[in-house]
Amino acid sequence: MTKKQRNFWELFGIYTVVVIMFVIILYPLLWALGLSLNSGQGFYSTQIIPENWSLVHYEWLFFNPRSNYLLWYRNTLFVAFTVSFLATFIVALTAYAFSRYRFKGRKNGLYAFLLLQMFPVLMAMVALYILLNTIGLLDSLIGLIIIYVGGAIPMNAFLVKGYFDTLPRELDESAKIDGAGHFRIFFQILLPLAKPILAVVALFNFMAPFMDFILPRIVLRSPENFTLALGLFNFVNDQFANNFTRFAAGAILIAVPIALVYLFLQRYLISGLASGATKG
């Protein structure tokens, strides 16, 4: 086999895998969109390409007085933006400390971050429930935010620390010679250089409240405090008896803020993911 033929078959294999993955990803999305545009309510009577498409389910979500969808959307956006900002800021401070300082317990702290990533969050659900109930934050968006922020620190701090390690220490030393303190070095020198990895952390933490169902299911009780994932589950399971088309319409709209944030941060994402994994 010649080199030209080998290159052809390699490209053919790569594009075949890409096309297969594209179909696997696109198929359920098309079904969700098709379901949301069907005028009926049941799953089995719908089609992926509706003959008589309708926006009746979207109208119900936004304008029907019995719908809490906008309230759930507002709750989720509040949690997502708050968690994204607080988690990114705290993670950046933590990563800076572990990357630039040498202190007693630093090595054990890094090992603890790695160890905490090995255990699923489900293992701590009972403890988190008791803790929030004790401090009076059960059935509260504030309590949910605290858990999300705390859970984001171990994995993300290790990732950002790896990125900070790639930044030359000569930058810190030059700033110290000019009289800059630790906070000035952090805010004015390292943070601007760390935008790619911080964009990755911000996006991941922004997406979490939209995707997570189990934690809100345990923490939240009142319908007015529900996030979208929890609200839509009850929406299809209890209140409206398997109304999959309306559920699909609500699920489609979840992608809108995530897509907007992704487009806003996309120029940083690839370089951030690659650079954050270069050093541990």
Side-chain angles (χ1 to χ4, degrees):
M1 182 181 294
T2 65
K3 184 177 180 180
K4 185 177 181 179
Q5 290 175 326
R6 186 165 57 252
N7 291 337
F8 170 80
W9 286 111
E10 287 178 356
L11 287 175
F12 178 80
I14 293 172
Y15 282 114
T16 301
V17 172
V18 171
V19 170
I20 293 174
M21 295 303 299
F22 179 77
V23 171
I24 293 174
I25 294 172
L26 187 62
Y27 182 73
L29 294 179
L30 288 177
W31 255 114
L33 181 61
L35 278 172
S36 69
L37 296 176
N38 277 271
S39 57
Q41 295 184 354
F43 179 77
Y44 294 103
S45 62
T46 57
Q47 299 174 330
I48 188 172
I49 302 178
E51 296 179 357
N52 299 312
W53 62 274
S54 171
L55 297 176
V56 62
H57 302 303
Y58 293 96
E59 293 175 1
W60 192 95
L61 291 174
F62 285 100
F63 303 113
N64 194 295
R66 293 185 299 164
S67 171
N68 290 322
Y69 186 76
L70 291 178
L71 180 60
W72 300 336
Y73 219 111
R74 186 188 68 185
N75 292 342
T76 308
L77 287 174
F78 170 71
V79 173
F81 278 110
T82 306
V83 169
S84 181
F85 174 78
L86 291 179
T88 303
F89 182 69
I90 295 174
V91 163
L93 286 173
T94 305
Y96 173 70
F98 277 95
S99 176
R100 288 305 197 256
Y101 299 154
R102 296 296 180 266
F103 51 89
K104 186 176 181 180
R106 175 181 176 273
K107 187 175 182 180
N108 292 331
L110 292 174
Y111 286 147
F113 284 162
L114 289 175
L115 187 63
L116 288 172
Q117 297 177 48
M118 297 172 57
F119 300 99
V121 181
L122 283 173
M123 294 182 62
M125 288 300 178
V126 175
L128 292 174
Y129 180 89
I130 296 175
L131 177 63
L132 291 179
N133 189 43
T134 301
I135 62 178
L137 289 179
L138 196 64
D139 192 23
S140 166
L141 295 178
I142 302 300
L144 188 64
I145 289 171
I146 292 174
I147 295 177
Y148 277 136
V149 172
I153 293 175
M155 180 183 69
N156 292 320
F158 200 82
L159 184 69
V160 178
K161 185 251 179 206
Y163 190 92
F164 279 144
D165 287 344
T166 65
L167 301 178
R169 293 182 179 273
E170 288 78 7
L171 296 173
D172 305 38
E173 295 170 359
S174 299
K176 289 178 181 177
I177 293 175
D178 293 335
H182 295 296
F183 280 100
R184 187 175 179 183
I185 294 173
F186 174 71
F187 284 106
Q188 295 188 1
I189 298 177
L190 293 186
L191 273 191
L193 295 175
K195 284 181 181 179
I197 194 64
L198 295 180
V200 173
V201 173
L203 178 62
F204 285 173
N205 286 287
F206 181 83
M207 292 170 57
F210 286 92
M211 306 298 182
D212 187 28
F213 164 76
I214 297 177
L215 184 59
R217 184 74 175 89
I218 294 174
V219 173
L220 304 176
R221 290 291 180 268
S222 304
E224 61 270 15
N225 290 331
F226 285 173
T227 59
L228 279 172
L230 179 56
L232 287 178
F233 172 79
N234 290 334
F235 192 62
V236 71
N237 189 58
D238 299 327
Q239 192 174 1
F240 294 101
N242 297 326
N243 194 333
F244 284 98
T245 50
R246 201 167 289 164
F247 174 87
I252 287 293
L253 293 174
I254 291 177
V256 175
I258 297 176
L260 292 176
V261 172
Y262 178 84
L263 291 174
F264 178 73
L265 299 175
Q266 58 88 22
R267 56 178 174 169
Y268 302 114
L269 295 178
I270 296 178
S271 60
L273 283 171
S275 301
T278 56
K279 269 191 177 183

